Amino acid sequence: MKKLAYFLLASLMLGIFACSNPNEPVGPNDPTNPDTPADPSNPSAPVQEKFVVKIQENLEGGTVEVFVGSQPITELDSLAKNTMVTVKMIADDNHILTGSNVVKGCAVLDSFKIKSDTVVRPIFEAVQVAAPSPIHKVCNYNIRYYNGSSDSGNTGGRSWLTRKEKVFEMITSHDMDVCGVEEITKIQSSDVISTLTDYEYVGYGRDNGKENQNGAGGEQTGLLYKKSRYLKLDQGRFFLSNTPEKASKLKNSNFNRMVMWVKLKVRGTEDIFYLFATHFDNDYDQNHVNVRSEQADIAINMVPQIAGDYPYFFVGDFNCEIIEPAYDKLSTRWADAFIEMGEAAQGGYLCNDEQQTAYPTQCEWPGNTYTGLYSSSDKSPKRIDLVLFDNSRAEVSSYLADSDNLGLELYPSDHLPVITTMQFK
């Protein structure tokens, strides 16, 4: 009897299984359904948290876009926790981006991981827009690093505390529009930002490649641009190495070296251009001459790719003497403002008596921008601070390497500032 009961039960279950539709969707609470909510009685069950990202309502002063990868998202999209989200914030012609609630710093493009429902709130501050002008003062200034008062090379007349007001005076007295700046430490960047309030400073640390206000590590390569004249549309950097996207260096380079850039729009016009700034490797043995030659190759390849069809200027402390292969490569690819101006180029460092005796040939070269006055080992003057440009898209009308020491025992820096006036063709 029991055997008969077991047989009937088995037949019934087999019939049910045979009549079921294998293609029928599983129910919402079926454990095989990936959308089944976690069982609250089982704390080990995975929970997929979802969040939304919204943009501040009634936003004024600029625009905001949000992306996951290259895909724009809407307020209806629900994103898993820790999804990397990219936010693009661009001011309009009458404002400047000064920060936001989701990322550090003032980069046009930045990313963050979503942890909760988020409303992106950029800070766009109004600016007094300058009257448009076809003339742009494109400059470069290595302001000399400051490693603190304990550094013997930064005491007395060499100290940043002694020099900094004169450095700022040099920048403001020449009414520079855009300027590449090298050898900036974190302390110096804070002084630049708090003092030169008519400018925005953009810089990246060579140790980790991070932006100044987002944890930049090490000496920075940066630039200044006038807030009233220019609107920043984009910014970035690449390293002069075989892995340019990350903090790195060529095998024989002393330090990580980079090129940083901004894409600028002239407020009140449709003119757009790029400014690139760099600091090539130092030392003058054959090994480092070769390093600079390799760095020039990388820059020559990447700078035009980034700028595309827009005019651009490439400035910096290239650390290469005019007899080096690096300079030959650079000046073949781009026009050198000093050479373009010829005899109309002004300024340059004049050697002292000791240098005239020790380095007669170098002292005869015109337009030297490195003084050699701060160094115990590299006292030879050189023209290594350059303003390069594509002369099919722009032209230079003046050049000055200002040798005024502004009343200091030495100079505001061991480099002279280079000031040019440029106009788009």
Side-chain angles (χ1 to χ4, degrees):
M1 190 69 181
K2 288 183 179 180
K3 292 183 178 179
L4 179 60
Y6 288 145
F7 175 78
L8 292 173
L9 179 61
S11 299
L12 178 63
M13 295 302 296
L14 183 61
I16 293 173
F17 177 78
C19 293
S20 65
N21 182 356
N23 297 319
E24 184 175 305
V26 293
N29 292 316
D30 190 305
T32 63
N33 185 350
D35 295 325
T36 297
D39 183 355
S41 65
N42 181 7
S44 64
V47 177
Q48 187 71 7
E49 296 181 89
K50 297 280 190 176
F51 302 107
V52 296
V53 178
K54 297 182 179 181
I55 298 169
Q56 176 185 334
E57 294 182 359
N58 302 317
L59 183 63
E60 296 182 355
T63 60
V64 176
E65 295 178 89
V66 183
F67 303 84
V68 174
S70 60
Q71 184 66 34
I73 65 173
T74 71
E75 293 183 5
L76 299 178
D77 291 326
S78 187
L79 306 175
K81 184 177 181 180
N82 292 324
T83 297
M84 187 63 73
V85 176
T86 298
V87 59
K88 181 178 182 179
M89 300 175 284
I90 300 181
D92 62 26
D93 253 5
N94 299 302
H95 291 81
I96 185 170
L97 174 68
T98 59
S100 74
N101 64 316
V102 291
V103 292
K104 297 179 180 178
C106 303
V108 171
L109 276 172
D110 212 336
S111 300
F112 66 97
K113 287 183 178 180
I114 184 169
K115 301 288 187 181
S116 61
D117 291 340
T118 304
V119 178
V120 179
R121 296 187 177 91
I123 304 171
F124 294 121
E125 294 187 1
V127 295
Q128 186 69 40
V129 178
S133 168
I135 302 299
H136 306 275
K137 287 190 175 180
V138 180
C139 311
N140 192 75
Y141 201 4
N142 180 324
I143 66 171
R144 183 172 167 81
Y145 67 91
Y146 173 62
N147 285 339
S149 58
S150 61
D151 187 331
S152 61
N154 284 294
T155 58
R158 295 174 171 84
S159 169
W160 172 247
L161 302 180
T162 301
R163 305 184 291 111
K164 64 180 181 179
E165 295 305 325
K166 297 300 183 181
V167 167
F168 299 148
E169 181 182 336
M170 190 69 81
I171 292 169
T172 56
S173 65
H174 285 291
D175 198 27
M176 298 179 182
D177 287 323
V178 294
C179 185
V181 281
E182 297 83 46
E183 293 195 23
I184 297 182
T185 63
K186 190 64 178 176
I187 291 175
Q188 288 171 298
S189 71
S190 297
D191 289 340
V192 166
I193 292 169
S194 63
T195 304
L196 299 176
T197 55
D198 289 339
Y199 295 85
E200 180 176 17
Y201 170 72
V202 183
Y204 291 86
R206 70 183 182 191
D207 289 354
N208 59 10
K210 291 187 176 182
E211 197 254 349
N212 176 60
Q213 292 173 279
N214 192 22
E219 187 179 297
Q220 297 181 30
T221 298
L223 57 84
L224 294 162
Y225 72 89
K226 273 187 180 177
K227 299 175 185 177
S228 63
R229 287 209 68 187
Y230 306 103
L231 169 64
K232 182 174 64 178
L233 299 180
D234 203 355
Q235 67 185 71
R237 50 75 179 152
F238 64 87
F239 282 83
L240 294 167
S241 74
N242 295 321
T243 53
E245 72 283 353
K246 64 181 181 179
S248 54
K249 66 187 182 75
L250 293 172
K251 180 180 178 181
N252 294 317
S253 179
N254 286 329
F255 304 102
N256 293 349
R257 300 293 187 175
M258 71 172 73
V259 175
M260 63 85 54
W261 55 268
V262 291
K263 181 181 181 182
L264 298 173
K265 176 181 179 295
V266 182
R267 293 186 188 271
T269 77
E270 296 304 315
D271 291 334
I272 293 173
F273 69 97
Y274 282 79
L275 179 67
F276 296 83
T278 195
H279 191 186
F280 277 19
D281 209 46
N282 59 327
D283 287 342
Y284 292 91
D285 56 77
Q286 188 59 49
N287 180 58
H288 291 94
V289 167
N290 294 340
V291 166
R292 284 190 290 276
S293 181
E294 290 183 70
Q295 291 173 333
D297 289 334
I298 296 168
I300 287 169
N301 177 53
M302 296 198 67
V303 166
Q305 289 186 44
I306 294 170
D309 293 331
Y310 292 107
Y312 61 91
F313 306 101
F314 188 19
V315 307
D317 174 2
F318 290 84
N319 265 323
C320 60
E321 298 187 84
I322 60 175
I323 56 175
E324 287 188 28
Y327 178 78
D328 184 55
K329 292 177 178 180
L330 294 167
S331 60
T332 298
R333 176 62 183 82
W334 293 298
D336 177 344
F338 175 80
I339 300 298
E340 289 289 294
M341 288 302 301
E343 293 184 357
Q346 297 181 318
Y349 172 69
L350 299 178
C351 294
N352 59 28
D353 291 342
E354 180 182 348
Q355 290 172 318
Q356 288 281 6
T357 300
Y359 312 105
T361 301
Q362 291 90 330
C363 287
E364 287 182 1
W365 290 342
N368 287 324
T369 60
Y370 172 73
T371 69
L373 297 177
Y374 282 69
S375 177
S376 60
S377 58
D378 185 15
K379 295 180 177 294
S380 172
K382 307 171 183 67
R383 189 175 74 84
I384 56 178
D385 302 272
L386 309 176
V387 174
L388 306 174
F389 64 103
D390 181 349
N391 58 7
S392 70
R393 295 182 173 96
E395 58 185 349
V396 60
S397 55
S398 71
Y399 176 101
L400 170 65
D402 192 341
S403 60
D404 191 346
N405 66 5
L406 300 182
L408 294 178
E409 175 187 356
L410 295 173
Y411 285 78
S413 172
D414 55 347
H415 292 247
L416 305 184
V418 174
I419 302 99
T420 74
T421 53
M422 294 283 184
Q423 188 167 351
F424 303 132
K425 288 185 176 179

